Amino acid sequence: MNDYLKKINLAQEINIELQISKLDFTKKFRENVDESNLGFEPFEVFTSSKNEYKGYIENNGFELKKRQKLFDTSYSFAKASGTFVQETDKLTIKTFICGFQKKMFVFFGFLIFFYAIFLSGIFFADDNAPKFIIVPFLLFHATLMFGIPYFIMRRSVKRMVYDLERDFHYWVTKN
C-alpha cells in the first residue's frame, strides 16, 4: 500500500544528513517534541506548548506529527516515522511521511456507501425525475467529496517534508 500512496503523492521518503551525533540529536528531539503516543486527543487544540511537534523517540527511530492549534488552517494530517543511523561524523535520518491515516477508510467507506444508496435510489425510482440533471450533479458532488480530502492530504505531506528538513537543521544549529 505504501508504494501506491507514494505513486499518488500521499506518502514520501526523505533522507536528511546532519552533522551531529546520535545522542545530541536525541537530546534535541526530546527538547523540541512533546512526548505523546500520537493517539486521538479530542482537546489537543486547547493545550499549550512551545513545541510544534508531538511524538516519541526510541533507540534508533522516532514518530512524530505536527501539533494541532486553535484556528490553524494548515490541516496537518501527515505523520512522519523514521530511523537514524550514526555514521562517522554525520547522522543519516531516513524518514517516511504519510498523509493518509487509517481513519480515512471510515470516511471514504461512508461516502461510497452513501453514493451507492443514492444512485441506486435514483435509478430504481418509479417517478419521472429528470435523471439527466441529478446524476451529473451527484457525480460532480462525489468528485468534490473525494477530491478535496485528497488534495488536503497531499499538501500536508509536502508541507511536512519542508518543515522537517527545515526544523531538523534548525535544531542542530540552535544552541
Side-chain angles (χ1 to χ4, degrees):
M1 176 144 169
N2 288 341
D3 292 333
Y4 179 69
L5 290 175
K6 286 181 202 174
K7 186 176 179 181
I8 62 172
N9 296 327
L10 291 183
Q12 188 173 349
E13 287 184 1
I14 59 171
N15 291 329
I16 302 171
E17 292 182 356
L18 301 173
Q19 299 293 329
I20 191 171
S21 71
K22 182 177 167 182
L23 292 173
D24 291 338
F25 177 76
T26 305
K27 181 182 165 203
K28 298 279 187 183
F29 188 94
R30 287 200 170 102
E31 289 174 1
N32 292 294
V33 176
D34 290 333
E35 189 72 26
S36 173
N37 63 355
L38 299 179
F40 177 68
E41 296 177 24
F43 300 109
E44 177 185 355
V45 295
F46 299 114
T47 60
S48 64
S49 175
K50 65 178 180 67
N51 297 331
E52 288 193 34
Y53 298 100
K54 66 178 187 173
Y56 60 90
I57 189 166
E58 296 172 345
N59 291 336
N60 292 324
F62 65 90
E63 193 166 340
L64 63 85
K65 68 184 243 180
K66 293 275 269 190
R67 175 178 294 286
Q68 298 288 326
K69 297 177 186 172
L70 194 61
F71 303 118
D72 186 18
T73 59
S74 66
Y75 302 111
S76 48
F77 290 116
K79 187 188 296 186
S81 58
T83 59
F84 41 90
V85 176
Q86 179 71 47
E87 295 174 3
T88 56
D89 61 341
K90 63 184 176 181
L91 184 71
T92 303
I93 304 169
K94 297 177 183 178
T95 309
F96 179 73
I97 300 169
C98 184
F100 186 82
Q101 304 299 323
K102 290 181 177 143
K103 61 186 170 187
M104 292 304 288
F105 281 123
V106 175
F107 175 72
F108 287 129
F110 176 75
L111 281 180
I112 290 169
F113 178 73
F114 171 76
Y115 287 117
I117 296 278
F118 202 76
L119 276 173
S120 64
I122 288 173
F123 286 120
F124 294 124
D126 290 335
D127 61 351
N128 292 328
K131 294 178 180 139
F132 63 91
I133 293 174
I134 295 173
V135 172
F137 173 75
L138 189 64
L139 292 176
F140 174 73
H141 189 268
T143 303
L144 289 178
M145 293 300 289
F146 283 100
I148 290 173
Y150 166 74
F151 287 114
I152 289 173
M153 289 184 288
R154 193 173 83 173
R155 184 173 183 265
S156 74
V157 169
K158 286 182 184 177
R159 190 174 187 115
M160 179 68 95
V161 168
Y162 174 77
D163 287 343
L164 275 183
E165 287 177 345
R166 183 193 67 197
D167 289 338
F168 282 173
H169 286 288
Y170 175 72
W171 294 351
V172 170
T173 59
K174 185 174 74 169
N175 293 339

